[in-house]
Amino acid sequence: MTQTVISPAPVRAIVTGHSRGLGAALAELLLERQIDVLGVGRSAHPTLAQREHPANSANAATTAKFVEASLDLADPAAVEKWLASGALQDFAQGAQCVLLFNNAGTVDPIAPLGAQDASAIARAVTLNVAAPLMLANALATVQAGERRIVHLSSGAARNAYSGWSVYCATKAALDHHARAVALDAPDGVRIGSVAPGVVDTGMQATIRATSVDHFPLRGRFEELKQTGKLTSPEDCARQLIDYALSDAFGTSPTADVRELA
């Protein structure tokens, strides 16, 4: 893994979809590293708000701060209103480095064209694309030393899968957003759209519960689960954080954690 060059104390992080799965692992590990965390999502994390996050060294701050914002990221009007409140700017203001992990997302609808629910399509595009782009745009305006935007992408952004046309399209949108932003990003802004590999989360359970008619590759994902080949959320979160804090982050607009050395 590339060497970490930013010390934790002046770093703050925003994590969407922080209440479970990979988002929860990201929030917990960031706090362990004495990085203040703002969790954004519909649901609260079941325990983090009640925990103390003590310093892990004599030179660190006394505690890392954890705050939450209750927000339906699939509702663009609600996202716009929250951003207008200044909550993101207030949290990030003055930090040496602010990380944004655009983690929240949905794999639904899983179905071939013509069998997809229209409202599910709209929700997926808003949650997977519009919200990350809105948050990234807002972060770019924050007065901070560095702002690093981490889109959680997927192998589905780079390979087409039957039944996943909406998911593939939305994740590919994040990849291309990162490529374009890399051309015109304001000073101090880095961006990377990072595929995390196949992680053992609730999304995987959704995939395995889908009919083969709607997702012909279901058996492949069942085998990954049965043979213990899914990455744990904690291991994936550790890799993502190390990469986001490293000097290598942003040198390429797209990456895959399985290819990071």
Side-chain angles (χ1 to χ4, degrees):
M1 178 59 64
T2 47
Q3 183 181 4
T4 296
V5 295
I6 298 176
S7 59
V11 181
R12 296 174 198 153
I14 301 151
V15 180
T16 66
H18 68 289
S19 64
R20 59 183 181 173
L22 180 56
L26 283 166
E28 291 173 14
L29 288 173
L30 287 161
L31 289 165
E32 285 181 13
R33 297 190 188 199
Q34 291 300 294
I35 294 173
D36 293 349
V37 172
L38 167 60
V40 182
R42 284 190 303 166
S43 304
H45 189 285
T47 61
L48 278 184
Q50 287 75 46
R51 292 190 213 168
E52 287 290 326
H53 308 286
N56 53 20
S57 75
N59 296 323
T62 304
T63 59
K65 297 177 182 177
F66 173 69
V67 293
E68 295 179 283
S70 177
L71 180 64
D72 184 356
L73 291 161
D75 181 345
V79 176
E80 184 178 7
K81 181 178 179 180
W82 182 74
L83 290 173
S85 76
L88 183 149
Q89 289 82 353
D90 289 346
F91 173 80
Q93 193 86 13
Q96 178 181 324
C97 179
V98 183
L99 308 174
L100 168 61
F101 290 94
N102 279 317
N103 163 74
T106 181
V107 72
D108 290 321
I110 305 175
L113 192 68
Q116 299 163 0
D117 178 74
S119 63
I121 295 172
R123 182 173 182 82
V125 172
T126 304
L127 178 59
N128 292 2
V129 184
L133 270 56
M134 294 167 78
L135 293 170
N137 183 67
L139 185 66
T141 70
V142 168
Q143 297 300 310
E146 255 198 298
R147 288 133 291 160
R148 298 189 174 197
I149 300 159
V150 186
H151 289 328
L152 267 293
S153 184
S154 169
R158 299 150 201 183
N159 299 283
Y161 294 102
S162 178
W164 274 8
S165 59
V166 175
Y167 186 64
C168 289
T170 57
K171 290 302 181 179
L174 293 183
D175 279 9
H176 218 45
H177 179 257
R179 294 184 187 105
V181 168
L183 301 177
D184 64 7
D187 288 344
V189 173
R190 298 191 192 194
I191 190 167
S193 190
V194 187
V198 187
V199 187
D200 196 3
T201 64
M203 185 177 288
Q204 286 298 311
T206 298
I207 292 167
R208 294 192 300 272
T210 303
S211 73
V212 174
D213 288 343
H214 280 186
F215 187 57
L217 286 177
R218 188 186 74 182
R220 173 189 168 193
F221 289 86
E222 290 174 332
E223 181 184 2
L224 290 172
K225 176 67 172 177
Q226 292 164 2
T227 57
K229 293 180 181 178
L230 297 178
T231 304
S232 73
E234 294 74 20
D235 285 346
C236 182
R238 191 172 295 106
Q239 289 178 295
L240 286 168
I241 294 167
D242 284 345
Y243 179 55
L245 290 171
S246 76
D247 196 48
F249 180 77
T251 55
S252 173
T254 62
D256 189 311
V257 294
R258 294 164 292 189
E259 298 171 1
L260 299 175

